[in-house]
Amino acid sequence: MINNIFNDIEPSPQMVKKFYFLDYIYILLQSCKIYNDKVDVFFNFKILKEKESLGESKYKRLTIDKSDLTNKQVQRYIYTFNQVIIEAVNYNLIKEKNRFINITDLGIEYLTIAEKDKRSFYHLLLKSMESKYLAFYHLVKLCYAQNKTKNGLLIFPIYSPGKLGLEKDKMKTNGSWIDYCSKLKRKLEFDCSRFLEQKYDLEEANQTLLNNLLNDNVLSNERDEIFNSLKYNSIINRIRKYWLNYFLNNIYDYPYSFETFNIWVERGKQLGVVHTTEFYPEFDGRLVFPTSLIIKKNSNKDLYQLYEYPTGEKLFIHRLIWNRDNQDNFVEALITCYFELKRSRGTNFIRIADLRERVCYKKRIPSYIFNEFLEKIYLKNLKGQTTVQISLEADRLPYETNAMYLKREPVSINGQYKNIIAIDYRKNI
């Protein structure tokens, strides 16, 4: 049934190379413009990688690896470098022969555009990616098919024992873990009903999980037997991974690996095709939803075409035009979501990142559109041209803490990063 939504198009998202940040291709092209010896290209690539804080995970790094890298770290750098090379070759942006890498005319064209406008460069990359893999066609279609009532929302709930009211120091027996799995099952069923508006009986799936844990001697049938506390984190990770894969493969019918799904979702977020977050307020887990449409005809000026398929269908992202109507609608969403968060938090200043998640979900817009609109509204606010008062502060930014990865991007306003926001109606209007 799901296959019918793809109109005989055969996507191959699993063929993608293993890296998340699209800027990897940008810094490779920069390096290849200067050097053509592969060793020289690699060292320049490494320098730019650190300059742009690009990590091997889906998060940017806040720390720089020491100059005396371990062999494992060097191999990780080289692996990412080679993955980016293969994909860039597939797009005809570079050519590799023996120990030499040369940038092509198309690569020069992409690089020139990237140096003027990064967003346009991303759009060019989308066309290259989609022509090879049709991954976003598959992903966006799948989202809408699996949750029509919530405009393509996919949920991946994650609950540790603590989130379900089970204290760590009380998880001492096999029985406590069996009870946790049962409680988790019921919570997942509730979330499916709430967010997907479908009823799922997950008893069989839960029993499969327990059988796996029993067969691998992680747990035993003796409920009163003491559980090895050293295995606490490993069993949590195993249970979490099981349910994430179950949701992806069994509930959403995604036929590829979780790794493939992650790569395309994270790339899609950078492009404005989908939005994903692990930090949605009052939800434990991950949300994924489209900020784009695949349709044949469109008259909405807020939809921007990025790609046309052989079927005549077109991929449009929700890129709001800055006009009075959109400005007013954005401010309305901003105020509504702000006061919802303020009521639940009991404080005037809230995290901009939390507000961004709420507004992006409500308006179905990419996070970079939120950033652009907030900056424009704030600057108008400073000139007294808005009906609300907006205060933005820096607070403590991620790089001022001991964090290793930047998991939530702050908003840049006039070149300065802001992290918290307070909103109030102006009393003189």
Side-chain angles (χ1 to χ4, degrees), residues 54-143:
L54 303 177
E56 279 71 36
S57 73
K58 61 186 178 183
Y59 299 118
K60 288 192 174 183
R61 287 187 65 94
L62 293 172
T63 58
I64 298 176
D65 288 328
K66 298 177 182 179
S67 56
D68 52 337
L69 300 176
T70 65
N71 183 62
K72 185 177 180 180
Q73 288 173 314
V74 172
Q75 292 305 313
R76 194 174 68 236
Y77 274 52
I78 292 173
Y79 176 81
T80 301
F81 176 64
N82 287 329
Q83 291 288 292
V84 180
I85 285 175
I86 293 170
E87 195 157 329
V89 168
N90 287 341
Y91 302 151
N92 194 32
L93 301 179
I94 61 171
K95 290 184 178 179
E96 182 184 19
K97 187 174 182 181
N98 299 324
R99 56 175 289 180
F100 296 102
I101 306 175
N102 294 295
I103 190 169
T104 64
D105 290 342
L106 184 62
I108 291 290
E109 179 184 335
Y110 274 41
L111 180 59
T112 302
I113 290 172
E115 290 169 343
K116 295 178 180 177
D117 179 15
K118 187 70 73 65
R119 186 57 50 190
S120 295
F121 169 68
Y122 287 166
H123 292 168
L124 287 176
L125 281 183
L126 181 142
K127 293 176 182 177
S128 294
M129 290 187 285
E130 204 65 347
S131 66
K132 288 287 183 182
Y133 307 118
L134 293 166
F136 294 123
Y137 185 85
H138 180 269
L139 179 61
V140 173
K141 285 264 189 176
L142 190 75
C143 285

Side-chain angles (χ1 to χ4, degrees), residues 358-394:
R358 284 286 187 109
V359 175
C360 285
Y361 179 73
K362 185 178 182 67
K363 300 289 294 178
R364 288 303 199 269
I365 57 173
S367 54
Y368 71 84
I369 293 292
F370 173 92
N371 295 347
E372 292 173 7
F373 269 49
L374 181 62
E375 181 174 37
K376 290 178 184 292
I377 290 295
Y378 181 67
L379 295 178
K380 287 175 71 69
N381 165 79
L382 293 180
K383 297 175 183 177
Q385 297 174 351
T386 59
T387 58
V388 293
Q389 289 179 323
I390 301 175
S391 298
L392 299 177
E393 301 292 341

Side-chain angles (χ1 to χ4, degrees), residues 154-167:
L154 305 184
I155 62 165
F156 297 90
I158 296 173
Y159 299 99
S160 64
K163 291 291 184 179
L164 297 180
L166 304 171
E167 297 177 17

Side-chain angles (χ1 to χ4, degrees), residues 148-278:
K148 294 182 176 67
T149 59
K150 295 289 182 71
N151 293 319
L153 172 67
L154 305 184
I155 62 165
F156 297 90
I158 296 173
Y159 299 99
S160 64
K163 291 291 184 179
L164 297 180
L166 304 171
E167 297 177 17
K168 182 177 179 179
D169 60 2
K170 293 183 179 179
M171 304 294 291
K172 294 181 177 181
T173 64
N174 286 296
S176 60
W177 284 100
I178 293 170
D179 292 342
Y180 161 63
C181 287
S182 295
K183 193 168 186 178
L184 175 60
K185 175 196 77 78
R186 292 192 296 272
K187 181 60 174 172
L188 296 179
E189 290 172 340
F190 173 79
D191 282 348
C192 287
S193 178
R194 177 187 172 193
F195 293 99
L196 306 180
E197 297 188 0
Q198 294 187 53
K199 290 186 177 181
Y200 287 93
D201 183 353
L202 301 180
E203 180 56 41
E204 183 178 346
N206 183 57
Q207 193 57 54
T208 299
L209 168 62
L210 289 173
N211 288 340
N212 292 340
L213 296 174
L214 291 169
N215 292 336
D216 293 341
N217 296 317
V218 178
L219 294 178
S220 79
N221 280 316
E222 298 297 327
R223 288 184 58 88
D224 294 331
E225 185 177 315
I226 299 300
F227 177 78
N228 185 351
S229 61
L230 296 178
K231 295 181 179 180
Y232 183 89
N233 289 331
S234 64
I235 191 174
I236 289 290
N237 289 333
R238 180 158 178 176
I239 293 170
R240 179 176 298 174
K241 184 177 180 180
Y242 173 84
W243 283 114
L244 289 176
N245 279 287
Y246 183 87
F247 267 69
L248 186 67
N249 301 136
N250 296 81
I251 291 182
Y252 302 136
D253 290 331
Y254 189 80
Y256 309 107
S257 69
F258 210 96
E259 182 177 53
T260 295
F261 177 78
N262 271 335
I263 290 172
W264 286 114
V265 165
E266 294 300 329
R267 290 189 183 189
K269 182 176 182 178
Q270 295 167 67
L271 293 162
V273 174
V274 297
H275 183 77
T276 181
T277 177
E278 295 172 349

